[in-house]
């Protein structure tokens, strides 16, 4: 196979991955389920045709390489599970149970399929790396708090997107919001980084895999409530989380970054619904 044909082959493999990831905006932004199903079917079908169309020698090599069809199917399964529930933020018992089952299943089912059906370790959750965080890592944690304190109140209050979250005006509701925001933040890293990003990195350069996972990440956040000009914040955040994971290989660190960011989100939402209760912001 010539260099040109290898390059063309690699470019062709981007198409099914892009189709599968494009299902996320169909599900979570446009909220047109049939379009999401169609894009997933086209993406998986294209991946299957590409792998079946490989030359015999290439297919032999692929026996030792990860299957694009299998890995994209794991991403598709996770998105399908999430798409069965509305992602509007609600704090009643039924809504929290619904989120727990759907989001938990979106991480657990692909992991179990990868581990016990496909018999590989494509999905891992590297909580501890054995390395201490350096000054840069600690400095970024401080920067996240400062940037969140400066930017998030302006975004939530001037755009009105805080209204996408329920009013929290009692201790019980405030506690539920705190738990919900933190739990979803942890799940984001388990699914978008440790599942979607990790699977895509097995087939594509890190930068391309990061862009593709960001499409899925930002689409989910849109339906969750980060609308209006929210993507101007969520797109860089999603890309940065992928980049940070590449540099640290630490789930603990990216979760810490996300939880600090979400702590500010929580405080802003409480402040927005209860002016004067948390007089710590400039607006």
């Amino acid at each position: 196979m010539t260099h040109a044909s290898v390059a063309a082959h690699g470019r062709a493999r981007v198409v099914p991955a892009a189709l599968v990831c494009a299902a996320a905006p169909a599900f979570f932004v446009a909220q047109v389920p049939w379009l999401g199903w169609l894009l997933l079917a086209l993406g998986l079908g294209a991946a299957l045709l590409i792998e079946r169309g490989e030359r015999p020698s290439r297919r032999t090599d692929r026996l030792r390489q990860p299957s694009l069809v299998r890995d994209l199917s794991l991403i598709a399964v996770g998105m399908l599970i999430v798409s069965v529930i509305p992602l509007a933020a609600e704090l009643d018992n039924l809504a929290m149970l619904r989120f727990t089952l759907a989001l938990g299943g979106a991480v657990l089912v692909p992991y179990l399929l990868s581990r016990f059906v496909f018999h590989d370790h494509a999905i891992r959750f590297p909580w501890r790396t054995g390395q201490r965080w350096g000054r840069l890592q600690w400095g970024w944690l401080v920067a996240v708090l400062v940037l969140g304190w400066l930017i998030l109140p302006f975004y939530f209050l001037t755009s009105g997107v805080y209204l996408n979250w329920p009013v929290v005006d009692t201790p019980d509701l405030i506690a539920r919001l705190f738990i919900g925001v933190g739990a979803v933040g942890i799940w984001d890293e388990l699914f978008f980084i440790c599942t979607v990003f990790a699977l895509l990195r097995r087939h594509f350069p890190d930068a391309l895999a990061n862009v593709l996972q960001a499409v899925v990440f930002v689409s989910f956040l849109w339906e969750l409530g980060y609308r209006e000009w929210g993507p101007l914040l969520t797109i860089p955040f999603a890309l940065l989380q992928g980049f940070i994971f590449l540099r640290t290989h630490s789930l603990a660190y990216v979760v810490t970054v996300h939880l600090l960011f979400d702590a500010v989100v929580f405080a802003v939402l409480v402040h927005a619904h209860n002016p004067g209760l948390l007089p710590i912001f400039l607006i």
Side-chain angles (χ1 to χ4, degrees):
M1 189 178 289
T2 66
H3 178 78
S5 61
V6 169
H9 178 82
R11 288 194 296 270
R13 296 173 70 83
V14 176
V15 173
L19 287 169
V20 168
C21 291
F27 284 131
F28 308 126
V29 180
Q31 297 186 31
V32 182
W34 67 264
L35 180 57
W37 303 332
L38 177 60
L39 288 167
L40 290 180
L42 290 173
L44 294 176
L48 184 61
L49 288 174
I50 289 171
E51 290 194 344
R52 284 188 173 180
E54 291 171 344
R55 294 182 178 181
S57 60
R58 178 67 175 174
R59 286 200 300 269
T60 300
D61 291 340
R62 292 296 296 173
L63 292 175
R64 297 187 296 271
Q65 298 296 324
S67 165
L68 182 63
V69 176
R70 286 183 175 185
D71 288 346
L72 291 182
S73 71
L74 295 177
I75 296 172
V77 165
M79 283 198 288
L80 284 170
I81 293 173
V82 175
S83 71
V84 302
I85 67 167
L87 295 176
E90 297 175 341
L91 298 175
D92 59 275
N93 290 337
L94 182 59
M96 296 186 79
L97 176 62
R98 191 165 60 233
F99 263 75
T100 299
L101 294 176
L103 300 191
V107 171
L108 186 61
V109 172
Y111 172 78
L112 293 176
L113 288 173
S114 173
R115 181 68 180 86
F116 297 106
V117 177
F118 299 154
H119 302 291
D120 64 21
H121 294 274
I123 301 172
R124 300 172 184 267
F125 306 103
W127 186 256
R128 300 180 64 182
T129 63
Q131 296 182 352
R132 293 188 177 185
W133 299 347
R135 292 183 179 179
L136 182 61
Q137 284 78 30
W138 284 106
W140 178 240
L141 297 182
V142 174
V144 167
L145 285 174
V146 173
L147 290 171
W149 177 75
L150 288 172
I151 298 171
L152 291 175
F154 180 78
Y155 164 59
F156 276 94
L157 295 174
T158 61
S159 68
V161 295
Y162 72 91
L163 297 172
N164 294 331
W165 280 261
V167 175
V168 285
D169 54 3
T170 67
D172 176 65
L173 289 174
I174 291 174
R176 285 171 177 264
L177 177 67
F178 180 79
I179 293 170
V181 168
V184 172
I186 295 172
W187 177 85
D188 286 342
E189 304 306 326
L190 296 177
F191 183 67
F192 299 116
I193 299 301
C194 291
T195 302
V196 176
F197 188 35
L199 291 169
L200 291 170
R201 286 184 63 210
R202 284 154 58 95
H203 305 276
F204 306 108
D206 291 339
L208 176 58
N210 201 18
V211 170
L212 290 172
Q213 72 83 17
V215 171
V216 186
F217 200 156
V218 172
S219 299
F220 171 84
L221 292 178
W222 176 273
E223 186 177 351
L224 192 63
Y226 294 85
R227 303 181 184 179
E228 302 300 332
W229 51 274
L232 294 179
L233 299 177
T234 57
I235 291 172
F237 181 77
L239 292 172
L240 275 171
Q241 287 296 88
F243 175 76
I244 290 169
F245 186 73
L246 287 174
R247 294 294 299 270
T248 65
H249 304 288
S250 171
L251 175 59
Y253 187 76
V254 293
V255 165
T256 300
V257 171
H258 202 131
L259 289 181
L260 288 175
F261 182 85
D262 280 350
V264 182
V265 170
F266 162 76
V268 171
L269 290 172
V270 173
H271 168 68
H273 289 293
N274 305 272
L277 183 61
L278 290 175
I280 59 174
F281 299 108
L282 300 177
I283 182 173

